Amino acid sequence: MRVELITTGSELLLGQIVNTNSAYMAAHLNDIGFDVFYQTTVGDNHDRMKAVIETALTRADIIITTGGLGPTQGDITKYVCAEITGSPMITDEESLNRMNSHFTLKNIKMTQNNLRQVLVPENSRVFLNYNGIAPGIVQVYRGKYIINLPGPPREMKDMFDRSLRPFLKEKFGLKNVIHSLVLNTFDIGESLLETKIRDLILKQKNPTLALLVRPSGVIIRITAKSDNLSDAEALITPLRQAIYSRIGEYIYAENDDNMEHVVGKLLQTSHQTISCAESCTGGLLTSRLTDIAGSSEYLLGSIVSYSNAVKINHLGVPSAVLAAKGAVSEETAQYMAEGAAKVLSADIGVGITGIAGPGGGTDKKPVGLVYISVTGKRGTFTTKNLLSGKRNEIKYRATQKALNMVRLYLENKSVR
């Protein structure tokens, strides 16, 4: 079945909010065998929205909209769809009762315009909203399905999983399963990665291969289509093994696993502790480590040593080293890592110092120059990195590099 996703709302076109609804729906529709052929975003304009939906009806079997079900005059999506199908609007009594209970429970006076939220096209199927008020709507028009879901992601996701997914299975069954495996890589560029697996890409059929660049590194997505999940996984396995044999040293995780989670698990299983000394990253590495539940088992603390005085007084960086080599240097990063481990009594210390920009760079020490050092019983390992991007991008990439160095250290591999 051909699916078109239509997200509505002028705030999306203005860039005021990020459109996460399409990504969520596309991924989950693929999982149950539906092909998303088109994604469209349109503002809260009657004529343009009508034209977009009418165009979708010419090329898709199922049209799913998000947004435009609320109480204001700008919420027009379901009215435009009802106009196209020629259906009068009626009150959905169950949604009305739930809305009255909602306002009574919260002791809030209901305004008259809220009644707009429980109006639905006549003869439509209703999906109750368990995280809000406006129900979802399904209309059948000329053999095609027009489905309206709420815009707030929390409401949309719950309705998709609770109501739309079972509805689609009921109507269409699971003729195919589209399953993907994602391999997360780091420290290898897109061009080199493609070179190493180019023959696999050229002969792809089912499963298919795609390379996607992310701030965390390049990901490889392997996608197979089959009658069931186990068969799709069986199709993916040989290709997964072939890729690991070529570039396994650069793969740090699969699917949604991120670098901080991988490092956290390694620290837990090895029963080692870690501490950080951060300059240009300003505590971002420590923050990422604490994003993982249970990080208190292995993260002892951090020193944000932005000034030379803190580097000297709290980490033991010699003033002579700072004078001769500078705050951004291999030697300073090493002393920072060793100082963090010593002062906080950790098994592993990490030191980061660099120039995140946009100013402060020189010909010899440009913006993006970052030194990272990791120290422990295996020894001290320090890398010089020239990172690109804006200030926040350089900071993130520096922490990703630091985490990868810790990962390699813990896996007893060559730290680079």
Side-chain angles (χ1 to χ4, degrees):
M1 301 297 289
R2 297 166 299 177
V3 179
E4 180 156 351
L5 305 177
I6 301 175
T7 49
T8 70
S10 298
E11 65 276 11
L12 294 170
L13 295 175
L14 293 171
Q16 294 173 338
I17 63 171
V18 177
N19 178 11
T20 60
N21 283 346
S22 290
Y24 181 89
M25 290 190 295
H28 286 74
L29 286 164
N30 279 329
D31 283 345
I32 56 176
F34 290 86
D35 296 307
V36 178
F37 283 2
Y38 305 95
Q39 294 185 19
T40 309
T41 300
V42 63
D44 301 315
N45 176 279
H46 175 277
D47 294 343
R48 288 193 289 270
M49 188 180 294
K50 185 177 180 182
V52 163
I53 295 170
E54 287 177 336
T55 298
L57 285 166
T58 67
R59 61 191 187 188
D61 306 301
I62 301 171
I63 295 94
I64 305 175
T65 73
T66 60
L69 306 184
T72 72
Q73 294 300 312
D75 294 308
I76 61 173
T77 306
K78 64 182 176 184
Y79 296 97
V80 172
C81 292
E83 180 183 329
I84 291 171
T85 62
S87 302
M89 301 296 281
I90 61 171
T91 298
D92 179 63
E93 293 298 330
E94 186 170 1
S95 295
L96 175 62
N97 292 335
R98 290 172 62 87
M99 181 176 69
N100 287 332
S101 299
H102 169 83
F103 281 104
T104 300
L105 181 64
K106 292 189 173 292
N107 196 27
I108 300 173
K109 183 179 180 180
M110 186 180 74
T111 56
Q112 193 67 21
N113 60 352
N114 276 291
L115 293 173
R116 287 170 54 89
Q117 295 190 85
V118 295
L119 291 176
V120 299
E122 191 174 32
N123 298 319
S124 62
R125 179 163 174 169
V126 170
F127 294 153
L128 294 177
N129 191 335
Y130 291 88
N131 286 277
I133 293 173
I137 298 163
V138 180
Q139 295 187 81
V140 181
Y141 178 65
R142 296 179 180 175
K144 299 190 175 185
Y145 290 81
I146 303 175
I147 301 168
N148 306 133
L149 300 181
R154 180 168 175 267
E155 297 179 31
M156 183 281 296
K157 290 177 182 179
D158 182 76
M159 192 176 291
F160 185 101
D161 294 334
R162 187 191 298 264
S163 301
L164 180 55
R165 187 194 298 267
F167 171 80
L168 293 174
K169 289 182 179 179
E170 168 197 327
K171 290 294 181 182
F172 305 105
L174 281 174
K175 296 180 181 179
N176 291 110
V177 170
I178 302 172
H179 179 64
S180 293
L181 172 71
V182 172
L183 306 178
N184 301 295
T185 75
F186 184 75
D187 241 5
I188 182 169
E190 183 182 20
S191 300
L192 178 58
L193 198 161
E194 185 193 43
T195 300
K196 288 182 175 291
I197 62 171
R198 189 169 185 269
D199 60 313
L200 301 177
I201 295 173
L202 290 176
K203 68 181 183 183
Q204 64 177 316
K205 288 184 180 179
N206 184 26
T208 59
L209 272 175
L211 305 184
L212 304 167
V213 179
R214 296 288 186 267
S216 55
V218 182
I219 69 170
I220 306 169
R221 187 183 65 220
I222 311 172
T223 304
K225 190 170 186 177
S226 190
D227 293 333
N228 56 67
L229 179 59
S230 61
D231 286 349
E233 290 175 335
L235 287 169
I236 287 172
T237 297
L239 188 53
R240 173 185 177 274
Q241 292 172 342
I243 293 171
Y244 264 93
S245 70
R246 310 269 185 97
I247 57 147
E249 63 182 301
Y250 299 103
I251 299 171
Y252 65 87
E254 295 185 357
N255 295 323
D256 295 330
D257 225 356
N258 57 33
M259 192 75 83
E260 49 265 47
H261 190 219
V262 171
V263 169
K265 286 191 291 186
L266 288 168
L267 286 165
Q268 282 182 318
T269 55
S270 66
H271 304 290
Q272 295 189 68
T273 57
I274 191 170
S275 59
C276 309
E278 302 186 56
S279 184
C280 64
T281 50
L284 181 58
L285 173 61
T286 309
S287 176
R288 290 183 65 183
L289 286 168
T290 60
D291 284 341
I292 306 303
S295 56
S296 59
E297 293 180 26
Y298 49 81
L299 176 64
L300 298 186
S302 174
I303 297 173
V304 178
S305 53
Y306 220 60
S307 72
N308 283 353
V310 174
K311 292 180 177 72
I312 295 168
N313 297 327
H314 296 276
L315 292 170
V317 180
S319 57
V321 168
L322 291 169
K325 301 294 184 178
V328 180
S329 65
E330 178 179 351
E331 292 81 1
T332 298
Q334 180 175 325
Y335 275 111
M336 287 172 64
E338 293 171 349
K342 181 179 180 180
V343 170
L344 296 171
S345 301
D347 298 311
I348 299 169
V350 182
I352 305 176
T353 181
I355 305 168
T362 65
D363 290 340
K364 290 186 177 181
K365 294 185 178 182
V367 169
L369 173 63
V370 180
Y371 289 95
I372 303 170
S373 187
V374 173
T375 190
K377 290 181 179 179
R378 283 188 61 197
T380 300
F381 306 87
T382 308
T383 62
K384 176 183 178 180
N385 306 275
L386 292 172
L387 307 176
S388 61
K390 297 180 180 178
R391 182 179 179 87
N392 62 329
E393 294 169 329
I394 290 171
K395 290 172 64 177
Y396 179 83
R397 287 169 179 153
T399 62
Q400 188 75 352
K401 176 69 175 183
L403 287 167
N404 192 58
M405 289 174 65
V406 174
R407 175 183 72 88
L408 294 171
Y409 177 93
L410 290 165
E411 291 177 345
N412 291 310
K413 295 177 180 177
S414 175
V415 180
R416 58 180 188 274

